[in-house]
Amino acid sequence: MSSGGFGSPLFDEHAIEVYGWVLNNKYVDFEAVARDLGISPDQASRAFERLVRLNVVRVGLEKDATVAWAVDPDAAALLHTRPLHEEIQHQQLRLERLAEDFSRLRNQFEHRRHSTAASIENISSLDEVRAALNRATAECREEMVTMQPGGHRQPEALAEAASRDSALLSRGVRMRTLYHHTARFNGPSQVYVAQAGKLGAEYRTHHEVVGRMIIFDRDRLAFVPMLGDENAAVVTSEPSIVAFLHQVFEQFWAHAMPYQPAAPENLEEIAKEVDPTIIQLLSAGLKDEVIARRIGMSLRTTRRHIADIMRLLGAESRFQAGVLAAQSLQQRSPEEAMCHYCFLEAPHPSEHARERG
């Protein structure tokens, strides 16, 4: 149909003008066409030939070849669009047949998925995890709650979740998501939360998140990461397990803060909120990598916080910082130990020595 590639117009300005000339005069004379339209006879001839080739202009018999008349564009269009419509119908039938063929396997798959023996299912590929999440979202009726650790989410992942969540919220399903505090500084997350929040989604942040999990309808279905493979998932439909995970979420949700986008210059203020957690994890002897993962910060930022804590505690080594942090926590009540700046008030060991002296 098109000589200029997909999307190129079939008729240029010369062809449209020549079509109008033939429509009005009912014959063709390239010299007259060129004179009236201000183009060359060669341009008039090429435009006319294109109109004839595309069946929008017809010419008389050979004995009177100058006779020409314009054809109704809608009638001419049918000659070109009919094959496309037929091809589309053929592809639609093929698509329906493929869906029907694969749906014949669904009964077997669903029977295994809902059987008692299959109440826990390992899904090893990312594509299958996405398909399972899309299916669970479509089947969700009451609520979906999510824990998303880490401070930075990829725009591609957020774009994929946006359409899925929008359909969920449009059905009146409640959606709650818990992030690390550091997610407040992630630009794509800020945009995503603002858009979904307008549809009724709820977001909070916490200084520590146990791990990624998605729970549907309180005790119906839960997704958690597969050990050793963040692109794989373990799915359970065992009501007791799902209900327990939901209770864990509720505990964190109750102590979390409403999501508020924060500017980069305020990072230090919010970052200080995680210092008590760093102290507790440090006193437990956890490695820097584990601490960073638990609080949703980069390893570099976490190590900078640990260095600041060591300096404030007067520790010369990481091990000594852990011991001093543990001592600082033991000297306080549970409420005082969770104070944001409790370690700032911890007496330096040398001060204890001076007091005893």
Side-chain angles (χ1 to χ4, degrees):
M1 285 176 58
S2 173
S3 61
F6 181 80
S8 300
L10 290 174
F11 308 105
D12 58 18
E13 292 299 323
H14 292 163
I16 294 173
E17 292 176 346
V18 171
Y19 176 85
W21 196 96
V22 173
L23 180 65
N24 293 328
N25 294 277
K26 296 184 175 54
Y27 76 97
V28 63
D29 181 331
F30 297 136
E31 294 292 338
V33 172
R35 183 177 60 255
D36 291 348
L37 299 181
I39 60 178
S40 68
D42 182 58
Q43 290 173 323
S45 175
R46 289 200 302 270
F48 182 81
E49 291 174 358
R50 183 168 184 80
L51 294 170
V52 172
R53 187 167 63 252
L54 292 173
N55 302 301
V56 292
V57 166
R58 294 179 183 173
V59 296
L61 300 177
E62 292 182 2
K63 62 181 180 179
D64 191 6
T66 59
V67 176
W69 62 93
V71 177
D72 184 341
D74 291 336
L78 287 175
L79 298 175
H80 298 279
T81 60
R82 184 181 295 114
L84 287 176
H85 283 298
E86 293 175 351
E87 177 62 21
I88 291 172
Q89 291 176 354
H90 173 74
Q91 294 295 341
Q92 183 64 35
L93 290 174
R94 185 183 177 196
L95 180 63
E96 292 173 357
R97 175 60 61 85
L98 284 171
E100 181 182 350
D101 288 343
F102 282 100
S103 69
R104 296 169 65 186
L105 304 176
R106 178 158 297 280
N107 288 338
Q108 293 290 332
F109 183 82
E110 291 294 331
H111 176 72
R112 178 186 178 278
R113 190 162 68 94
H114 293 296
S115 66
T116 303
S119 61
I120 296 180
E121 178 185 7
N122 293 331
I123 304 179
S124 57
S125 77
L126 183 58
D127 288 340
E128 287 183 298
V129 171
R130 287 172 173 167
L133 278 174
N134 289 336
R135 185 165 52 246
T137 303
E139 295 172 353
C140 186
R141 293 294 175 265
E142 297 179 7
E143 182 184 54
M144 181 182 80
V145 300
T146 306
M147 270 193 185
Q148 291 287 357
H152 301 280
R153 297 193 66 193
Q154 296 299 322
E156 296 81 6
L158 291 172
E160 180 181 354
S163 59
R164 185 171 62 226
D165 296 344
S166 177
L168 188 77
L169 293 166
S170 67
R171 301 200 309 270
V173 176
R174 187 183 185 188
M175 191 180 86
R176 293 183 289 162
T177 301
L178 189 62
Y179 290 128
H180 272 121
H181 283 325
T182 48
R184 302 187 199 182
F185 299 89
N186 181 241
S189 294
Q190 292 175 357
V191 174
Y192 169 75
V193 169
Q195 292 175 345
K198 293 179 181 178
L199 300 177
E202 302 170 56
Y203 297 89
R204 293 184 183 181
T205 63
H206 199 278
H207 60 270
E208 185 178 9
V209 176
V210 293
R212 180 175 289 106
M213 65 179 177
I214 305 175
I215 303 170
F216 295 90
D217 295 330
R218 295 181 176 271
D219 61 358
R220 186 176 64 83
L221 198 67
F223 288 67
V224 296
M226 185 180 293
L227 182 63
D229 188 353
E230 62 181 11
N231 290 324
V234 177
V235 185
T236 177
S237 58
E238 167 54 43
S240 298
I241 298 176
V242 180
F244 175 81
L245 293 174
H246 190 271
Q247 290 175 2
V248 172
F249 175 88
E250 291 289 5
Q251 289 288 329
F252 279 86
W253 182 263
H255 296 90
M257 301 169 56
Y259 184 101
Q260 291 291 339
E265 58 267 21
N266 297 328
L267 177 60
E268 197 63 26
E269 178 181 351
I270 291 186
K272 283 297 183 182
E273 297 179 9
V274 305
D275 283 343
T277 301
I278 294 178
I279 291 176
Q280 289 182 324
L281 299 178
L282 194 63
S283 65
L286 298 183
K287 295 182 178 179
D288 295 354
E289 293 82 355
V290 177
I291 296 176
R293 187 164 57 251
R294 291 278 292 271
I295 63 176
M297 278 187 177
S298 68
L299 181 59
R300 180 179 180 181
T301 302
T302 301
R303 284 176 171 164
R304 188 171 69 245
H305 277 271
I306 292 175
D308 290 341
I309 291 172
M310 289 175 60
R311 176 177 55 81
L312 291 168
L313 289 174
E316 297 180 356
S317 68
R318 193 180 181 287
F319 174 77
Q320 185 184 15
V323 172
L324 293 175
Q327 292 175 350
S328 175
L329 293 176
Q330 290 173 359
Q331 293 170 2
R332 287 166 169 76
S333 66
E335 293 78 10
E336 292 175 331
M338 290 305 295
C339 171
H340 286 175
Y341 303 105
C342 64
F343 69 91
L344 292 174
E345 302 169 0
H348 191 278
S350 59
E351 296 178 4
H352 287 297
R354 285 197 299 270
E355 292 175 358
R356 287 194 301 267

